Amino acid sequence: MSTPATTAHARPAPSRTKTLLGTGVGNALEWYDWNVYATFATYIAAQLFSKADPASAFLSTLAIFAVGFVARPFGGYVFGWLADRIGRKHSLMVAVMLASGGSLLIAVAPTYDAVGVWASVILLVARLLQGLAHGGELPSAQTYLAEEAPRERRGFWASSIYVSGTVGLLIGMFLGLILETTLSDAQMDAWGWRVPFALGAVLGLFALWMRTRLEESAIFEEEVGGEGAPRENVLAGVWRHKRQALQVIGMTMGLTITYYVWSVSTPAYAIKVLKFDKTDAFWASIIGNTVFILALPVWGLVSDRIGRKIPILVALLGSAVLYIPMTSVIGHSMVTLALAISVMLILLAGYLAIAPAVYAEMFPTDVRATGVGVPYAICIALFGGTAPYVQNWLAAAVEWRWAFATYAIVALLISAATVLTLPETRAKDLSH
């Protein structure tokens, strides 16, 4: 009789390809749905809120974007419970259905002129659905992929999570550029802004079909899914592993602040504060994120050779050392902006490439998805989701240009110190 590890790693090549595609397509869609909202926020504000006060309408739109982050810890619990009790495959299927439903709601939402405040309520509900789905997607996908990967190549497989997610982000950015350059302002206001959300809903059906063809994690079936398997309350299981849960928060806080700044908000900062041309800032971000995609699998392979801790420490400490120098050069030209984003994302890839493997290696099978999902989503909501707001608040409240950089560097150092408390887990047997 095969051990769970042997069973999981004995999957034929077509099954492994199906695993990577099934998780990757759905994950790309989740990231696309999540970030396309920010791309079209100005149109959403104009159509789904009162036109009497455009500034207030835009702030309300951003506030609903933030609400999505608040929903993520709940998604981490709900979908973590589903993954740890019913199965990884089922959790992934429900997550992509929920994300697709949220996109569909936005795509067909009536305007404020038609139904008044109910337009804003529908938007809020849609964003809550997407927040729940996104909060559950990442831990479920990370757990499933880590359990299905050959343990000696788990780091390389894990890198596909951020590769597929960043591809989804770039697709949303390119779609925004295409629509804004091919449609008139009147067309964008009337219906153009709805196209990306309708497309997300349709692609959700394809992602759902891909995930129905996945096989359940062999490790889950062996250890949890069988008859007579123990059914401890998942929160009790997380509490039993509270040290690891706190380590997830500690090691993620610096990473999420720095990633959200350099991958998401730096182009907007360059446009608003440094007065960059929108097209230049856009292409700098495209270049940086493309370099990031290329760096991810390289770091995954490195971690499978030398272990997890060294790449993570290089990522965190390197980012801390170069944070201020890279920030100081972004205002010079589009080339230096692209270079700074690329350098920082290459470093961060050393952690992000293998994060799914590392988190999965910290918890036992019966609490793996919840143990990762809940503290991870809490950390993202507290530190990643607030990073752009803290950056702008510190810029206005503190008369020192490096205030936010210092905040980020301290968080990176805390994360590095937390990583030092972890055991090395490269090639760990996840059935133990």
Side-chain angles (χ1 to χ4, degrees), residues 40-361:
F40 293 90
T42 54
Y43 299 102
I44 294 171
Q47 296 299 317
L48 303 186
F49 291 90
S50 172
K51 295 181 174 64
D53 187 349
S56 176
F58 185 67
L59 287 175
S60 297
T61 306
L62 294 182
I64 289 181
F65 180 75
V67 166
F69 282 96
V70 176
R72 286 177 65 160
F74 297 97
Y77 171 74
V78 171
F79 286 93
W81 176 88
L82 191 63
D84 286 334
R85 286 295 167 264
I86 301 174
R88 318 310 195 197
K89 172 182 173 178
H90 292 86
S91 180
L92 289 170
M93 289 170 58
V94 177
V96 80
M97 287 171 59
L98 206 60
S100 180
S103 283
L104 180 61
L105 269 181
I106 297 175
V108 302
T111 64
Y112 187 91
D113 290 341
V115 297
V117 74
W118 285 106
S120 309
V121 171
I122 291 171
L123 179 65
L124 176 62
V125 171
R127 198 59 187 170
L128 285 172
L129 291 177
Q130 289 185 328
L132 288 170
H134 205 69
E137 164 71 20
L138 201 57
S140 297
Q142 288 180 161
T143 299
Y144 179 76
L145 199 64
E147 290 178 347
E148 285 293 282
R151 66 195 227 184
E152 70 279 0
R153 300 189 69 200
R154 191 179 295 132
F156 177 70
W157 273 48
S159 68
S160 70
I161 291 290
Y162 273 86
V163 168
S164 61
T166 307
V167 167
L169 184 149
L170 290 177
I171 289 172
M173 293 175 67
F174 273 118
L175 183 58
L177 180 66
I178 291 169
L179 289 172
E180 291 194 8
T181 54
T182 58
L183 298 180
S184 66
D185 290 343
Q187 288 173 321
M188 283 297 299
D189 283 333
W191 55 269
W193 67 273
R194 298 180 185 271
V195 171
F197 299 100
L199 180 62
V202 173
L203 290 177
L205 297 177
F206 175 70
L208 177 62
W209 175 74
M210 291 285 292
R211 289 186 168 181
T212 61
R213 301 174 68 242
L214 295 175
E215 299 177 57
E216 184 52 81
S217 159
I219 290 177
F220 173 83
E221 287 187 329
E222 292 278 350
E223 295 194 30
V224 181
E227 291 294 327
R231 297 292 178 183
E232 178 187 30
N233 179 280
V234 288
L235 285 182
V238 175
W239 179 254
R240 181 161 48 88
H241 297 89
K242 55 184 176 293
R243 182 173 186 270
Q244 291 97 316
L246 290 172
Q247 285 174 322
V248 169
I249 293 175
M251 63 196 286
T252 305
M253 61 183 294
L255 173 77
T256 188
I257 291 170
T258 311
Y259 173 74
Y260 267 92
V261 166
W262 287 96
S263 179
V264 179
S265 67
T266 290
Y269 175 82
I271 294 167
K272 181 181 177 182
V273 178
L274 304 177
K275 308 304 179 186
F276 265 71
D277 176 76
K278 285 185 178 181
T279 303
D280 286 347
F282 171 83
W283 281 110
S285 181
I286 290 290
I287 292 168
N289 278 284
T290 302
V291 171
F292 177 59
I293 289 173
L294 297 175
L296 286 164
V298 175
W299 279 112
L301 289 170
V302 169
S303 80
D304 286 331
R305 291 275 185 145
I306 68 173
R308 313 295 192 216
K309 294 177 71 171
I310 292 177
I312 294 176
L313 289 171
V314 168
L316 295 171
L317 295 176
S319 297
V321 169
L322 291 181
Y323 198 106
I324 289 178
M326 290 298 102
T327 302
S328 67
V329 303
I330 62 174
H332 295 171
S333 67
M334 190 274 274
V335 173
T336 59
L337 176 62
L339 177 65
I341 294 174
S342 298
V343 168
M344 294 301 289
L345 290 183
I346 287 172
L347 284 170
L348 292 172
Y351 186 165
L352 290 166
I354 60 176
V358 174
Y359 294 141
E361 290 162 349

Side-chain angles (χ1 to χ4, degrees), residues 411-429:
L412 286 165
L413 295 177
I414 292 172
S415 292
T418 305
V419 170
L420 292 174
T421 68
L422 299 177
E424 178 54 61
T425 55
R426 176 174 65 94
K428 179 181 179 180
D429 186 348

Side-chain angles (χ1 to χ4, degrees), residues 398-412:
V398 180
E399 293 183 3
W400 182 41
R401 64 176 299 198
W402 302 121
F404 181 79
T406 302
Y407 166 73
I409 290 168
V410 169
L412 286 165

Side-chain angles (χ1 to χ4, degrees), residues 363-380:
F363 293 90
T365 304
D366 64 333
V367 74
R368 185 166 290 134
T370 317
V372 174
V374 173
Y376 181 83
I378 289 172
C379 186
I380 297 297

